[in-house]
């Protein structure tokens, strides 16, 4: 168990350590504590070393002694003898100075190593006094530093590497000494018996070296955060805790920017396969990150997105360099001479660009300038800084490229200096200007979740978000209604399956949410999302109109709610359809020249709405984007004048403009833009009274996605409306009102292992719910019969239809499931039953409404 500087700096924190160590002891294991120096002491010792005269040094030593005496007093223990001896020794070292023994580096290491020696000696006394007998161990008698060929005397002394081979004799010797031991981080001994330091992140490295040497059951790094996250939580509050990682992934995340673990501390643990846990000292019961040897069965997923700032790029240009044998050797020799190590490399026929990472290099501008001068002798040099490296980490990155299009699109707006894909297939790195990163990171994280490339639904891998663990919690997302209705649903499924169930109170809650929008004058529900009579009645009873796209829908609307205003917004409908709609009293929306050019007399004396194409589309999938030149909807703006001219000729009044750009939009700003664009057009036309800004209000589907903020929507709309107050504002949501109210219940038919996949067959398929096949839509799927069992199996959830695309969910983490289990597909209330077919001559699911 390793504890850092702040964790050992006060008596309260030591009490905490006592509890944690005692708890582990109670589990029947022996405990070795590895501690850092008290917070600030290592820096004070460094400052001591930098002093030139003896009196300043002894003064510094006295101040350090005082801190330890004060802590001993707070611990209510007499100053332990060992601490007294160490403090005397430190004072003598300070007096004598670096040159006294002719080995200034060894002196420095010994002085700086005193921080850990002191904290551990105090800790041993305190824990023993608190009835946890604790033996003090000198790490230098346990950890041997080895001299590596690429190290000079300085790095061998101040940034040493430990030979972490398992040592059974040492393990036995320590076991004989007691059940709780305490040792120092940061220090070891070299072949010549000198005290050496392990450099930055030294205590983490010490702990993992001890873990490897002793072949420990595990290493626990106790720190101030629960573990590794899918992004830096300081930049992305929605970043998710990573529950389980293998060594390689954790190494990659640590190397590419996560600060919680020093990258050096994982490699000693790999060969002896010792797991490493990261835990939060302040919240010991909170789960953390477990890093281990197992590469787990899991869906390919981006695990984390990390960033490193302060990156310098060096671009080296030479004409026809590949023909010059030894060019790269010359170039890289310059880096070696300047002691600068290279991180990423990109090459072309005449150019090699490398990145320099500040955590690996002492990169001041002098060092870079000197390097550049040297390089200029063999090539043309350009230095680009400051840059940042943004890295996506995950096993099998190359197989995930197709899911990254939205992420890559984000980089389309930026200057990307370099892209690098690691040869171990674990990372994909983009080097961009440093100043864009703070804005970029939260957006990228959200896009990764939304695109399903960061599989936030896999609860084995992804834990709660940082916000949920430490912040004010997530934006209040009530648990889905079906959790509370489990018994009733199981009963309904036992009677018959597959079957749709709609929860009317949830529909009503969404209706009420929209009714509160001050800025919206009238809502029409797009009944194509779900035309169940009970739902239409509920919507109509709340004063909403019904938006229909076919004569069939007009009839259904009229039958269920005769008094609700009807809006007819078809696309490529027949002449007769319009005639019938007008007879029916519906408000008709046209979206092409053709009806006006060829059937103009049909509309004479009438008021109509005009749907325009604002030239762009939006939405969760290309097939739901209904705007833009690639879609068949709306009148292109360059035909607007012609349309208006025809309308005048036929005495048709264009009373409203309409635009509906797509479905599944979660950004409130969108509708404000649509309103502003329509309003600008309307001012040119004159007769316009109504602006219909469409539907498309999204419902979050992936865990971690934030719901559409209705208050923000109202604010945005009120603002644009204040600029154009003369228009009435209409909206026509479909999915938003009904998606969450509906579930599809099905039962497990068979399971099958094939080709590395585990298929779970259910009696509902794409004929019941086509959204996954049609839009790659993601629906949560749970095993309702085993809702409380751990989700440990990874399934492909498939239906009975003879199509490869008959997959309702890929790579789903579920409890081990059996024939007859009731499965629930969530958020199936919109575009579910209404899109069903009898394909394969399979029966459709029936629909039940519950109050
Ligand atoms: C389908 C449709 C809607 C509703 O879309 P949702 O994404 O379900 O909100 C609104 N307006 C028109 C014209 C539509 O075709």
């Amino acid at each position: 168990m390793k504890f850092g500087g702040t964790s050992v700096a006060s008596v309260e924190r030591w009490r905490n350590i006592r509890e944690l160590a005692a708890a582990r002891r109670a589990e029947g294991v022996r405990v070795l504590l590895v501690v850092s120096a008290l917070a600030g002491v290592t820096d004070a010792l460094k400052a001591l070393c930098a002093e030139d005269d003896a009196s300043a040094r002894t003064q510094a030593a006295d101040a350090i002694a005082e801190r330890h005496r004060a802590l001993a007093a707070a611990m209510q223990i007499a100053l332990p003898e060992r601490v007294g001896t160490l403090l005397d020794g430190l004072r003598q070292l300070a007096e004598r100075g670096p040159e006294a023994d002719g080995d200034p580096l060894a002196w420095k290491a010994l002085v700086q190593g005193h921080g850990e020696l002191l904290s551990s000696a105090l800790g041993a006394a305190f824990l023993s006094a608190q009835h946890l007998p604790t033996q003090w161990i000198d790490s230098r008698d346990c950890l041997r530093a080895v001299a590596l060929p690429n190290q000079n005397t300085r790095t061998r002394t101040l940034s040493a590497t430990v030979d972490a081979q398992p040592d059974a004799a040492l393990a036995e010797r320590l076991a004989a000494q007691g059940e709780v031991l305490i040792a120092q981080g940061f220090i070891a001994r070299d072949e010549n018996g000198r005290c050496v330091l392990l450099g930055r992140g030294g205590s983490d490295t010490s702990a993992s070296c001890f873990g490897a040497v002793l072949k420990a059951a595990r290493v626990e790094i106790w720190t101030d955060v629960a573990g590794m996250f899918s992004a830096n939580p300081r930049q992305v509050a929605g970043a998710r805790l990573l529950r389980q990682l293998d060594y390689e992934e954790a190494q990659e995340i640590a190397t590419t920017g996560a600060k919680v673990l020093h990258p050096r501390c994982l490699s000693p643990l790999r060969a002896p396969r010792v797991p490493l846990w990261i835990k939060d000292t302040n919240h010991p019961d909170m789960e953390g990150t477990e890093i281990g040897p197992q590469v787990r069965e899991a869906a390919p997923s981006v695990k984390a997105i990390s960033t490193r700032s302060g990156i310098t790029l060096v671009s080296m240009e030479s004409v026809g360099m590949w023909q010059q044998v030894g060019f790269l050797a010359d170039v890289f020799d310059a880096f070696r001479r300047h002691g600068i190590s290279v991180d990423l490399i990109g090459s072309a026929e005449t150019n090699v660009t490398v990145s320099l990472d500040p955590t690996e290099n002492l990169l001041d501008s002098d060092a870079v300038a000197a390097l550049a001068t040297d390089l200029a002798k063999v090539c043309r040099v350009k230095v680009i800084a400051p840059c940042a490296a943004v890295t996506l980490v995950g096993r099998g990155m190359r197989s995930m490229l197709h899911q990254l299009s939205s992420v890559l699109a984000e980089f389309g707006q930026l200057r990307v200096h370099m892209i690098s894909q690691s040869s171990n297939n674990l990372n994909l790195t983009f080097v961009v200007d440093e100043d864009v990163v703070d804005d970029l990171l939260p957006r990228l994280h959200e896009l990764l979740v939304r695109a399903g490339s960061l599989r936030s639904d896999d609860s084995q891998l992804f834990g709660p978000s940082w916000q949920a663990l430490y912040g004010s919690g997530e934006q209040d997302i009530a648990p889905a209604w079906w959790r509370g209705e489990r018994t009733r649903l199981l009963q309904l499924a036992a009677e018959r399956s597959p079957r749709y169930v709609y929860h009317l109170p949830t529909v009503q809650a969404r209706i009420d949410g929209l009714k509160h929008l001050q800025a919206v004058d009238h809502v029409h529900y797009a009944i194509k999302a779900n035309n169940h009579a009970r739902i239409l009645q509920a919507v109509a009873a709340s004063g909403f109109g019904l938006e229909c796209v076919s004569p069939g829908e007009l009839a259904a609307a009229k039958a269920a709610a005769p008094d609700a205003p009807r809006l007819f917004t078809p696309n490529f409908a027949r002449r007769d359809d319009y005639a019938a709609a007008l007879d029916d009293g519906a408000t008709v929306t046209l979206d092409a020249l053709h009806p006006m050019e060829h059937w103009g007399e049909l509309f004479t004396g009438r008021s109509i709405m005009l749907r325009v194409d604002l030239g762009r589309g939006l939405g969760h999938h290309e097939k739901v984007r209904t705007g833009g030149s690639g879609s068949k909807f709306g009148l292109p703006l360059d035909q607007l004048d012609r349309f208006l001219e025809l309308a005048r000729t036929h005495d048709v009044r264009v009373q409203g403009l309409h635009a509906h750009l797509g479905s599944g939009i979660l950004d409130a700003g969108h509708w404000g833009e649509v309103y502003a664009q329509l309003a600008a057009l309307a001012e040119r036309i004159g007769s316009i009274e109504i602006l219909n800004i469409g539907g498309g209000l999204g419902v979050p589907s992936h865990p971690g996605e934030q719901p559409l903020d209705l208050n923000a929507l109202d604010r945005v709309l009120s603002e644009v409306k204040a600029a154009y107050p003369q228009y009435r504002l209409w909206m026509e949501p479909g999915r938003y009102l009904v998606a969450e109210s509906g579930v599809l219940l099905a039962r497990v038919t068979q399971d099958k292992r094939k080709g590395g996949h585990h298929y779970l067959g259910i009696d509902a398929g794409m004929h019941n719910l086509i959204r996954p096949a049609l839009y790659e839509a993601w629906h949560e799927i749970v095993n309702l019969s085993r809702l409380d069992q751990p989700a440990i199996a990874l399934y492909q959830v498939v239906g009975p239809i003879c199509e490869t695309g008959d997959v309702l969910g890929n790579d789903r983490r579920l409890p081990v499931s059996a024939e007859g289990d009731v499965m629930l597909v969530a958020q199936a209330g919109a575009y579910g039953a209404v899109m069903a077919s009898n394909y394969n001559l399979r029966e459709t699911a029936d629909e039940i409404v519950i109050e």
Side-chain angles (χ1 to χ4, degrees), residues 121-179:
L122 265 182
F126 175 75
L127 297 175
S128 298
Q130 299 288 315
H131 313 294
L132 187 72
T134 303
Q135 300 302 315
W136 186 85
I137 301 291
D138 191 331
S139 293
R140 294 168 297 184
D141 298 338
C142 307
L143 300 182
R144 268 188 317 274
V146 284
L148 298 179
N150 62 350
Q151 289 177 315
N152 56 28
T153 322
R154 188 183 167 78
T155 49
R156 275 175 198 164
T157 315
L158 301 180
S159 187
T161 304
V162 165
D163 170 26
Q165 296 304 315
D167 181 345
L170 175 69
E172 213 170 298
R173 180 159 65 77
L174 292 187
Q177 293 200 27
E179 276 150 1

Side-chain angles (χ1 to χ4, degrees), residues 181-239:
L181 311 174
I182 188 166
Q184 308 75 40
F186 197 46
I187 57 174
R189 211 188 293 290
D190 71 3
E191 292 112 328
N192 307 318
R194 301 183 318 157
C195 173
V196 295
L197 305 180
L198 301 190
R200 285 223 259 171
S203 292
D204 286 357
T205 311
S206 296
S208 69
C209 288
F210 266 113
V213 168
L214 302 176
K215 289 199 80 166
R218 63 172 177 267
V219 171
E220 298 181 356
I221 303 285
W222 287 86
T223 177
D224 53 4
V225 60
M228 286 184 156
F229 282 80
S230 58
N232 180 351
R234 266 179 282 277
Q235 288 164 298
V236 184

Side-chain angles (χ1 to χ4, degrees), residues 526 528 547 569 611 658 660 662-664 695-697 732-735 831:
K528 72 175 184 293
E547 193 252 359
T569 313
R611 176 174 187 170
H658 170 279
H660 170 72
S663 198
L697 288 73
E732 44 183 24
R735 178 169 176 71
Y831 306 104

Side-chain angles (χ1 to χ4, degrees), residues 340-425:
I340 290 177
S341 80
V342 159
D343 183 26
L344 308 167
I345 303 178
S347 67
E349 187 165 11
T350 62
N351 176 290
V352 180
T353 299
V354 300
S355 77
L356 312 178
D357 184 335
T359 55
E360 299 297 326
N361 293 294
L362 296 166
L363 281 185
D364 50 40
S365 48
D366 289 352
V368 176
L371 171 74
T373 312
D374 239 15
L375 286 170
K377 292 172 194 155
V378 285
C379 56
R380 254 174 302 162
V381 187
K382 198 166 117 201
V383 174
I384 308 166
C387 297
V390 177
T391 304
L392 309 182
V393 182
R395 189 165 285 288
M397 273 314 295
R398 284 195 281 265
S399 65
M400 284 182 259
L401 293 178
H402 62 291
Q403 297 173 348
L404 296 177
S405 53
S406 57
V407 173
L408 296 178
E410 204 54 29
F411 284 102
Q413 333 267 342
L414 304 172
R415 277 206 309 168
V416 177
H417 297 294
M418 184 175 185
I419 300 179
S420 152
Q421 202 266 316
S422 67
S423 49
N424 62 8
N425 203 7

